[in-house]
Amino acid sequence: MATGTQKVVRLLKCFCGCSEMTEDEVRRIYRLSTQETLNDPRAAKIFRKFLEQDRCGDKGEIENYLDIYELCNNYLKESCLTFDQLTALVEMELKYYLEKKLNLYIMMLEEKQKPDIHIHEVERDLKRIQADYRSEIEASDEYKNYKQAILNKLKRGT
């Protein structure tokens, strides 16, 4: 007769309460660097839910930074960018020195009547925007509170 041992898996609730994660998954997410958190779809979603739970009304500054970071990430997966895409990013109230270079690309698109611009032409600038906003997110109290909240989940098992 074979005797099987069953491992008990403790499940923890997401910040929004909509999903449950294993303790190992929570531990994995806790160990991620800021960049890894922002580039990991599940971790980024959990961070966003954490930011949303404390929001009253409009998005906060860090949530806007996360939007900008994710939009750049989406654009970096494209082969070409359009006037509308670059304009949408600029309209997200980028810092002036980051916006300035994108405005040059927008002017190029307007003047040359090109339908789009190849990603390799703007890739460095999108990555620079991401690096700037990643640093802002990492230095924020919201991100520190998020990391602490994950640690508390592990300690309390909730």
Side-chain angles (χ1 to χ4, degrees):
M1 178 183 342
T3 59
T5 58
Q6 290 184 345
K7 183 179 178 183
V8 175
V9 178
R10 187 167 65 148
L11 297 176
L12 306 174
K13 289 193 184 282
C14 177
F15 293 111
C16 64
C18 67
S19 66
E20 295 185 344
M21 300 183 299
T22 66
E23 189 174 347
D24 287 342
E25 177 68 358
V26 175
R27 190 171 280 113
R28 180 192 75 79
I29 288 170
Y30 176 74
R31 290 182 180 142
L32 295 175
S33 68
T34 307
Q35 182 170 353
E36 291 168 332
T37 297
L38 299 176
N39 291 329
D40 181 290
R42 183 152 189 190
K45 179 181 176 186
I46 291 168
F47 179 48
R48 181 174 296 285
K49 292 295 183 185
F50 176 80
L51 293 172
E52 288 172 357
Q53 78 180 2
D54 290 334
R55 182 181 353 134
C56 295
D58 294 340
K59 289 182 181 182
E61 183 177 54
I62 299 303
E63 206 171 341
N64 285 326
Y65 292 172
L66 181 58
D67 289 344
I68 291 167
Y69 187 93
E70 289 177 342
L71 189 56
C72 287
N73 224 18
N74 291 340
Y75 289 174
L76 286 165
K77 294 173 187 171
E78 303 280 329
S79 58
C80 295
L81 294 177
T82 65
F83 173 84
D84 290 338
Q85 288 172 310
L86 291 173
T87 302
L89 188 55
V90 167
E91 288 173 352
M92 294 181 86
E93 299 181 18
L94 294 175
K95 295 175 185 173
Y96 177 71
Y97 72 95
L98 296 170
E99 178 185 323
K100 198 162 77 169
K101 185 68 177 194
L102 291 182
N103 278 325
L104 290 174
Y105 296 122
I106 290 170
M107 284 177 27
M108 282 175 35
L109 290 172
E110 285 178 326
E111 290 172 6
K112 294 183 180 179
Q113 299 300 314
K114 289 174 60 176
D116 54 34
I117 193 161
H118 291 284
I119 191 67
H120 64 82
E121 296 177 61
V122 66
E123 182 176 9
R124 183 192 74 227
D125 296 302
L126 292 173
K127 288 181 177 181
R128 182 175 170 206
I129 292 167
Q130 283 187 307
D132 188 90
Y133 285 100
R134 180 180 58 246
S135 295
E136 293 282 347
I137 289 168
E138 185 172 31
S140 72
D141 287 339
E142 290 91 338
Y143 187 74
K144 291 173 187 144
N145 293 340
Y146 161 74
K147 291 298 255 190
Q148 186 60 51
I150 292 175
L151 185 59
N152 291 343
K153 280 189 172 297
L154 288 170
K155 288 179 181 175
R156 285 186 258 142
T158 59

